[in-house]
Amino acid sequence: MIPGGVNSPVRAFRAVGGDPPFIVRGNGPYLWDADGNKYIDYVGSWGPLILGHAPADVVESISRAARNGASFGASTSAEADLAEMIISAFPHIEKIRFVSSGTEATMSAIRLARAYTRRKYIVKFEGCYHGHADALLVKAGSGVATLGIPGSAGVPEEFTQFTLALPFNDHDALEQAFNKFRGQIACVIVEPVVGNMGCVPPERGYLDELREITHRDNALLIFDEVMTGFRVAYGGAQELYGILPDLTTLGKIIGGGLPVGAYGGQSEIMQLVSPLGPVYQAGTLSGNPLAMTAGLTTLRYLRDHKKMIYALLDKLGGELMAGIAAAAKYAGVPICCNRVGSMFTWFFTAGPVTDWDSAAKSDTEAFGNFFRAMLDNGIYLPPSQFEAAFLSAAHTHEDIEQTIAAARQAFAMSAPSIRMKAVR
């Protein structure tokens, strides 16, 4: 009836084994499945639920908007209100266009970059996932990495011949690409904190180099902040690292848990988008009133409580990672803990993990065993070694303590098999 029984590949649990639970309800940091099992959730719908599941204000705002109509295919005041709020948080964005997904946002931003520069080549990074548009399914992360495939069937070579996939955090590869294709690269698109091969932060100075080299070659720099926007800081990774890109793509949190995406940048670039200019992009559900209202309510809450919320997320994240690292060390299980704010990943490798090649050295069998043990103990993690996990402001210190206790048991169970593997 549904291919693989799922509507997104990672949900099938092929990488971790076992049968995926069917979720029926979420509240705060918790999920309940169809069998009545309760879980502490660190997936958060893959990032957007920074306030937790079903926050009262967001639910009420969606209900109120729905009573006025779910979709019009026409302009609403909520679009303008949300645009104004995002622009106030991201200094380089002067104009913004809403779409219905992160895939649409990145696809449209790249089309716009090519039109603005009148160039064909784009640079992306191995292990970074920017949606399932044809030209971007080259050494992509997320489910592509989880399933162990290099790209996707159905994508002709001609569609990817102008995509240059480079190793993340590799300064020399970047210089070589721009020397070889000088004056031909339209843009560099990057997850400033990678979340789709697991959480991988940029090395010190790497984002500065991306900014400098694109500026020098008159190429555009696109920050894909679909995950990081409003999560690693209120103003996203560009606020955290002090880098202003030319274009930004957003999603996840700006819809408050409903389907949404956006791309924005300087007026000079954005005025090329139809109806002002020749770059065509459209969508019946773009700016959907339910998503706009949910996003607006979420961002208002983050804005009004940002000092408290981001400090809490960082504190809880630090406690969680320190506890897990200590539990793994005690059990003799080699792991590498990567975290930026409320994004994190436990890689089952001694590390460090700085790019796709080092992430791919992870023991995915050990991760699968750990995942299943944690699930049995009421902890819901991303069912893939190569996906970031997320905290929400609804998580508590008690949730963190319970998770660390579950990890101690999981490591104790997996340590003998890991040691045997090391001996062989």
Side-chain angles (χ1 to χ4, degrees):
M1 185 167 61
I2 298 174
V6 296
N7 285 304
S8 192
V10 175
R11 300 177 193 174
F13 277 36
R14 275 184 56 185
V16 293
D19 296 321
F22 276 69
I23 303 302
V24 296
R25 183 166 69 92
N27 184 263
Y30 309 119
L31 291 172
W32 286 263
D33 67 18
D35 296 320
N37 298 306
K38 178 183 177 182
Y39 306 96
I40 300 174
D41 179 26
Y42 292 102
V43 178
S45 192
W46 304 98
L49 302 182
I50 194 168
L51 301 180
H53 292 275
D57 289 350
V58 176
V59 171
E60 172 55 31
S61 70
I62 295 171
S63 177
R64 189 168 55 249
R67 286 194 292 267
N68 292 326
S71 180
F72 309 119
S75 298
T76 67
S77 61
E79 294 173 275
D81 292 340
L82 184 57
E84 184 177 359
M85 181 156 286
I86 293 171
I87 288 170
S88 70
F90 288 79
H92 88 96
I93 297 180
E94 296 173 345
K95 291 185 184 297
I96 190 167
R97 172 62 66 84
F98 292 111
V99 291
S100 296
S101 69
T103 294
E104 285 185 60
T106 55
M107 178 181 68
S108 302
I110 287 171
R111 181 183 300 159
L112 178 58
R114 281 173 160 155
Y116 181 78
T117 61
R118 300 183 181 182
R119 298 173 178 180
K120 296 179 179 179
Y121 283 94
I122 64 172
V123 169
K124 71 173 294 288
F125 297 93
E126 297 170 358
C128 286
Y129 179 74
H130 305 288
H132 58 267
D134 286 353
L136 295 171
L137 282 176
V138 178
K139 296 183 178 179
S142 191
V144 179
T146 299
L147 296 173
I149 55 179
S152 174
V155 178
E157 291 181 6
E158 292 83 356
F159 286 18
T160 59
Q161 64 179 315
F162 296 111
T163 302
L164 309 174
L166 307 181
F168 186 65
N169 277 326
D170 189 323
H171 301 263
D172 292 339
L174 189 64
E175 288 286 350
Q176 291 168 11
F178 271 86
N179 285 335
K180 182 176 180 179
F181 295 94
R182 183 177 286 112
Q184 300 178 67
I185 295 173
C187 64
V188 172
I189 184 167
V190 64
E191 294 179 88
V193 176
V194 183
N196 285 293
M197 55 178 153
C199 179
V200 179
E203 292 182 346
R204 183 182 297 273
Y206 189 68
L207 297 180
D208 298 88
E209 183 177 5
L210 288 182
R211 177 66 286 180
E212 192 278 331
I213 201 168
T214 50
H215 180 75
R216 187 174 71 211
D217 196 61
N218 294 316
L220 299 189
L221 176 60
I222 303 174
F223 270 14
D224 180 349
E225 297 228 41
V226 167
M227 276 192 185
T228 55
F230 293 99
R231 175 163 284 283
V232 298
Y234 185 72
Q238 52 200 267
E239 175 188 313
L240 186 65
Y241 295 104
I243 307 292
L244 294 183
D246 299 297
L247 291 170
T248 296
T249 62
L250 296 164
K252 307 288 185 185
I253 289 171
I254 69 165
L258 273 63
V260 74
Y263 62 102
Q266 301 154 11
S267 295
E268 180 185 3
I269 302 172
M270 292 298 294
Q271 68 186 8
L272 292 179
V273 178
S274 179
L276 293 180
V279 178
Y280 192 75
Q281 174 268 310
T284 300
L285 295 177
S286 296
N288 174 268
L290 302 189
M292 297 294 98
T293 300
L296 192 58
T297 305
T298 300
L299 297 194
R300 280 175 177 159
Y301 190 90
L302 290 176
R303 179 197 62 191
D304 294 344
H305 302 85
K306 62 183 176 182
K307 187 174 182 180
M308 178 269 291
I309 284 177
Y310 292 103
L312 172 66
L313 289 171
D314 192 53
K315 181 176 184 294
L316 292 178
E319 290 177 2
L320 179 61
M321 296 304 272
I324 297 295
K329 183 177 181 180
Y330 181 80
V333 176
I335 65 169
C336 172
C337 298
N338 280 5
R339 178 181 72 93
V340 177
S342 57
M343 289 177 60
F344 60 92
T345 299
W346 305 305
F347 292 97
F348 276 71
T349 176
V353 174
T354 60
D355 58 13
W356 168 244
D357 284 347
S358 51
K361 293 177 182 177
S362 298
D363 185 338
T364 54
E365 181 181 347
F367 173 83
N369 293 335
F370 177 77
F371 171 88
R372 291 191 299 274
M374 293 293 276
L375 192 68
D376 289 342
N377 279 289
I379 311 298
Y380 192 76
L381 300 174
S384 166
Q385 172 68 98
F386 307 117
E387 296 278 7
F390 304 92
L391 279 160
S392 78
H395 283 94
T396 66
H397 178 73
E398 289 72 26
D399 295 325
I400 302 302
E401 286 296 308
Q402 185 177 334
T403 303
I404 294 170
R408 290 194 192 103
Q409 294 184 38
F411 286 134
M413 292 170 58
S414 61
S417 62
I418 291 175
R419 293 194 192 102
M420 286 293 293
K421 186 181 294 185
V423 169
R424 292 198 296 269

